[in-house]
Coordinates of all heavy atoms in Angstrom, one line a residue:
A1180 N 104.9 88.7 95.4 CA 103.7 88.0 95.9 C 103.9 86.5 96.0 O 103.5 85.9 97.0 CB 102.5 88.4 95.0
G1181 N 104.5 85.9 95.0 CA 104.8 84.5 95.0 C 105.7 84.1 96.2 O 105.5 83.1 96.9
R1182 N 106.7 85.0 96.4 CA 107.7 84.7 97.5 C 107.0 84.8 98.9 O 107.2 83.9 99.7 CB 108.8 85.7 97.5 CG 109.8 85.5 98.6 CD 110.9 86.6 98.6 NE 110.4 87.9 98.8 CZ 111.1 89.0 98.7 NH1 112.4 88.9 98.3 NH2 110.5 90.2 98.8
Q1183 N 106.1 85.8 99.0 CA 105.3 85.9 100.3 C 104.4 84.7 100.5 O 104.3 84.2 101.6 CB 104.5 87.2 100.3 CG 105.3 88.4 100.4 CD 104.5 89.7 100.1 OE1 103.4 89.6 99.7 NE2 105.1 90.8 100.5
T1184 N 103.8 84.2 99.4 CA 103.0 83.0 99.5 C 103.8 81.8 99.9 O 103.4 81.0 100.8 CB 102.2 82.7 98.2 OG1 101.5 83.9 97.9 CG2 101.3 81.5 98.3
V1185 N 105.0 81.6 99.3 CA 105.8 80.5 99.7 C 106.3 80.5 101.1 O 106.2 79.5 101.8 CB 107.1 80.4 98.7 CG1 108.1 79.4 99.2 CG2 106.7 80.1 97.3
E1186 N 106.7 81.7 101.5 CA 107.1 81.9 102.9 C 106.0 81.6 103.9 O 106.2 81.0 104.9 CB 107.7 83.3 103.1 CG 109.0 83.6 102.4 CD 109.4 85.0 102.5 OE1 108.6 85.9 103.0 OE2 110.6 85.3 102.1
Q1187 N 104.8 82.1 103.6 CA 103.6 81.9 104.5 C 103.3 80.4 104.5 O 102.9 79.8 105.6 CB 102.4 82.7 104.0 CG 101.3 82.7 104.9 CD 100.1 83.6 104.4 OE1 100.2 84.2 103.4 NE2 99.1 83.7 105.2
A1188 N 103.4 79.7 103.4 CA 103.1 78.3 103.3 C 104.1 77.5 104.1 O 103.7 76.5 104.8 CB 103.0 77.8 101.9
Q1189 N 105.4 77.9 104.1 CA 106.4 77.1 104.8 C 106.3 77.3 106.3 O 106.7 76.4 107.1 CB 107.8 77.6 104.4 CG 108.2 77.2 103.0 CD 109.5 77.8 102.5 OE1 109.9 78.8 102.9 NE2 110.2 77.0 101.6
E1190 N 105.6 78.3 106.8 CA 105.4 78.5 108.2 C 104.4 77.5 108.8 O 104.4 77.2 110.0 CB 104.9 79.9 108.5 CG 106.0 81.0 108.2 CD 105.4 82.4 108.3 OE1 104.2 82.5 108.7 OE2 106.2 83.4 108.2
A1191 N 103.5 77.0 107.9 CA 102.6 76.0 108.3 C 101.6 76.4 109.4 O 101.1 75.6 110.1 CB 103.3 74.7 108.7
A1192 N 101.5 77.7 109.6 CA 100.6 78.3 110.6 C 99.2 78.5 110.1 O 98.2 78.6 110.9 CB 101.2 79.5 111.2
A1193 N 99.1 78.7 108.8 CA 97.8 79.0 108.2 C 97.2 77.8 107.5 O 97.9 76.9 107.0 CB 97.9 80.2 107.2
S1194 N 95.9 77.8 107.4 CA 95.2 76.7 106.6 C 95.3 76.9 105.1 O 95.7 78.0 104.7 CB 93.8 76.6 107.0 OG 93.1 77.8 106.6
A1195 N 95.1 75.9 104.4 CA 95.1 76.0 102.9 C 94.1 77.1 102.4 O 94.4 77.9 101.5 CB 94.8 74.7 102.2
S1196 N 93.0 77.2 103.1 CA 92.0 78.2 102.7 C 92.5 79.6 102.9 O 92.3 80.5 102.1 CB 90.7 77.9 103.5 OG 89.7 78.9 103.2
D1197 N 93.2 79.8 104.1 CA 93.7 81.1 104.4 C 94.8 81.5 103.4 O 95.0 82.6 103.0 CB 94.3 81.1 105.8 CG 93.2 81.0 106.8 OD1 92.1 81.4 106.5 OD2 93.5 80.7 108.0
L1198 N 95.7 80.5 103.0 CA 96.7 80.7 102.0 C 96.2 81.1 100.7 O 96.7 82.1 100.0 CB 97.6 79.5 101.9 CG 98.5 79.1 103.1 CD1 99.1 77.8 102.9 CD2 99.6 80.2 103.3
I1199 N 95.1 80.4 100.3 CA 94.5 80.8 99.0 C 93.9 82.2 99.0 O 94.1 83.0 98.1 CB 93.4 79.7 98.6 CG1 94.1 78.4 98.3 CG2 92.6 80.2 97.4 CD1 93.1 77.2 98.2
D1200 N 93.2 82.5 100.1 CA 92.6 83.8 100.2 C 93.7 84.9 100.2 O 93.5 86.0 99.5 CB 91.8 83.9 101.5 CG 90.5 83.1 101.5 OD1 90.1 82.9 100.3 OD2 90.0 82.8 102.5
A1201 N 94.8 84.7 100.9 CA 95.9 85.7 101.0 C 96.5 85.8 99.6 O 96.8 87.0 99.2 CB 96.9 85.3 102.0
A1202 N 96.8 84.7 98.9 CA 97.4 84.8 97.6 C 96.5 85.5 96.6 O 96.9 86.3 95.8 CB 97.7 83.4 97.1
E1203 N 95.2 85.2 96.6 CA 94.2 85.8 95.8 C 94.2 87.3 96.0 O 94.1 88.1 95.1 CB 92.9 85.2 95.9 CG 91.9 85.6 94.9 CD 90.6 84.8 95.0 OE1 90.1 84.6 96.1 OE2 90.0 84.4 93.9
Q1204 N 94.2 87.7 97.3 CA 94.2 89.1 97.7 C 95.4 89.8 97.1 O 95.3 91.0 96.6 CB 94.2 89.3 99.2 CG 94.2 90.7 99.7 CD 93.0 91.5 99.3 OE1 91.9 90.9 99.1 NE2 93.1 92.8 99.2
R1205 N 96.6 89.2 97.2 CA 97.8 89.9 96.6 C 97.7 90.0 95.1 O 98.1 91.1 94.6 CB 99.1 89.0 97.0 CG 99.4 88.9 98.4 CD 100.7 88.2 98.7 NE 100.9 88.0 100.1 CZ 100.8 86.8 100.7 NH1 100.4 85.7 100.0 NH2 100.9 86.7 102.0
I1206 N 97.2 89.0 94.4 CA 97.1 89.1 93.0 C 96.0 90.2 92.6 O 96.2 91.0 91.7 CB 96.6 87.8 92.4 CG1 97.7 86.7 92.7 CG2 96.4 87.9 90.9 CD1 99.0 87.0 92.1
F1207 N 95.0 90.3 93.4 CA 93.9 91.3 93.2 C 94.5 92.7 93.3 O 94.2 93.6 92.5 CB 92.8 91.1 94.2 CG 91.7 92.2 94.1 CD1 90.8 92.2 93.1 CD2 91.6 93.1 95.1 CE1 89.9 93.2 93.0 CE2 90.7 94.1 95.1 CZ 89.8 94.2 94.0
E1208 N 95.3 92.9 94.3 CA 95.9 94.2 94.6 C 96.9 94.6 93.4 O 96.9 95.8 93.0 CB 96.7 94.2 95.9 CG 95.8 94.2 97.1 CD 96.5 94.0 98.4 OE1 97.7 93.7 98.4 OE2 95.8 94.0 99.5
I1209 N 97.6 93.6 92.9 CA 98.4 93.9 91.7 C 97.6 94.3 90.5 O 97.9 95.2 89.8 CB 99.3 92.7 91.4 CG1 100.3 92.5 92.6 CG2 100.1 92.9 90.1 CD1 101.1 91.2 92.5
R1210 N 96.5 93.5 90.3 CA 95.6 93.8 89.2 C 95.0 95.1 89.3 O 94.8 95.8 88.3 CB 94.6 92.7 89.1 CG 93.6 92.8 87.9 CD 92.6 91.7 87.8 NE 93.2 90.5 87.6 CZ 93.5 90.0 86.3 NH1 93.2 90.8 85.3 NH2 94.0 88.8 86.2
Q1211 N 94.7 95.6 90.5 CA 94.1 96.9 90.7 C 95.1 98.0 90.7 O 94.7 99.2 90.8 CB 93.3 96.9 92.0 CG 92.1 96.0 92.1 CD 91.1 96.4 91.1 OE1 90.9 95.7 90.0 NE2 90.4 97.4 91.3
G1212 N 96.4 97.7 90.5 CA 97.4 98.7 90.5 C 97.7 99.3 91.8 O 98.1 100.4 92.0
K1213 N 97.4 98.5 92.9 CA 97.6 99.1 94.3 C 98.9 98.5 94.8 O 99.4 97.5 94.5 CB 96.5 98.6 95.2 CG 95.1 99.2 94.8 CD 94.0 98.7 95.7 CE 92.7 99.3 95.3 NZ 91.6 98.8 96.1
D1214 N 99.5 99.3 95.7 CA 100.7 98.9 96.4 C 100.5 99.3 97.9 O 100.7 100.5 98.2 CB 102.0 99.5 95.8 CG 103.2 98.9 96.4 OD1 103.1 98.4 97.5 OD2 104.3 99.0 95.8
V1215 N 100.1 98.4 98.7 CA 99.8 98.7 100.1 C 101.0 99.1 100.9 O 100.9 99.5 102.1 CB 99.0 97.6 100.8 CG1 97.7 97.4 100.1 CG2 99.8 96.3 100.8
A1216 N 102.2 98.8 100.4 CA 103.4 99.0 101.2 C 103.9 100.5 101.1 O 104.9 100.8 101.8 CB 104.5 98.1 100.7
N1217 N 103.3 101.3 100.3 CA 103.8 102.7 100.1 C 102.8 103.7 100.6 O 101.6 103.6 100.5 CB 104.1 102.9 98.6 CG 105.3 102.1 98.1 OD1 106.5 102.5 98.4 ND2 105.0 101.0 97.5
L1218 N 103.4 104.8 101.1 CA 102.6 106.0 101.6 C 102.5 106.9 100.4 O 103.3 107.0 99.5 CB 103.3 106.7 102.8 CG 103.5 105.8 104.0 CD1 104.2 106.6 105.1 CD2 102.1 105.3 104.6
T1219 N 101.4 107.7 100.4 CA 101.1 108.6 99.3 C 101.3 110.1 99.8 O 100.6 110.5 100.8 CB 99.7 108.5 98.8 OG1 99.5 107.1 98.4 CG2 99.5 109.4 97.6
P1220 N 102.2 110.9 99.2 CA 102.4 112.2 99.6 C 101.1 113.0 99.4 O 100.4 112.8 98.4 CB 103.5 112.8 98.7 CG 104.1 111.6 98.1 CD 103.0 110.5 98.1
I1221 N 100.8 114.0 100.3 CA 99.6 114.8 100.2 C 99.6 115.6 99.0 O 98.5 115.8 98.3 CB 99.4 115.6 101.5 CG1 98.0 116.3 101.4 CG2 100.5 116.7 101.6 CD1 97.6 117.0 102.7
K1222 N 100.7 116.0 98.5 CA 100.8 116.9 97.3 C 100.3 116.1 96.1 O 99.6 116.6 95.2 CB 102.2 117.3 97.0 CG 103.3 116.2 96.9 CD 104.6 116.8 96.6 CE 105.3 117.4 97.8 NZ 105.7 116.4 98.8
Q1223 N 100.5 114.8 96.1 CA 100.1 113.9 95.0 C 98.5 113.8 95.1 O 97.8 113.8 94.0 CB 100.7 112.5 95.1 CG 100.3 111.6 94.0 CD 101.1 110.3 94.1 OE1 102.3 110.3 94.4 NE2 100.4 109.2 93.9
I1224 N 98.0 113.6 96.3 CA 96.6 113.5 96.5 C 95.9 114.8 96.1 O 94.8 114.8 95.5 CB 96.2 113.1 97.9 CG1 96.9 111.8 98.3 CG2 94.7 113.0 98.1 CD1 96.8 111.5 99.8
I1225 N 96.5 116.0 96.5 CA 95.9 117.3 96.2 C 95.8 117.5 94.6 O 94.8 118.0 94.1 CB 96.7 118.4 96.8 CG1 96.5 118.4 98.3 CG2 96.3 119.8 96.2 CD1 97.4 119.3 99.1
T1226 N 96.9 117.1 93.9 CA 96.9 117.2 92.5 C 95.8 116.4 91.9 O 95.0 116.9 91.0 CB 98.3 116.7 91.9 OG1 99.3 117.5 92.4 CG2 98.3 116.9 90.4

């Protein structure tokens, strides 16, 4: 998450407010135990 924030900041395309919101969102997802990058098999959902 820190690496993504650094890369996004270096691009200079987003405002400071957008960067803060994005960084806070990444930390929130980690705190909630979520990983948006992975798909969930249906067998796991059925269980």
Side-chain angles (χ1 to χ4, degrees):
R1182 181 181 62 185
Q1183 291 171 347
T1184 301
V1185 170
E1186 291 173 350
Q1187 189 177 1
Q1189 289 176 331
E1190 292 173 359
S1194 66
S1196 177
D1197 291 339
L1198 289 171
I1199 293 171
D1200 288 339
E1203 190 173 42
Q1204 178 66 24
R1205 294 187 188 106
I1206 300 299
F1207 173 74
E1208 288 169 356
I1209 294 171
R1210 183 179 292 276
Q1211 294 296 108
K1213 297 179 180 178
D1214 189 339
V1215 296
N1217 292 281
L1218 301 175
T1219 304
I1221 190 171
K1222 59 177 73 71
Q1223 182 176 318
I1224 302 172
I1225 289 173
T1226 301

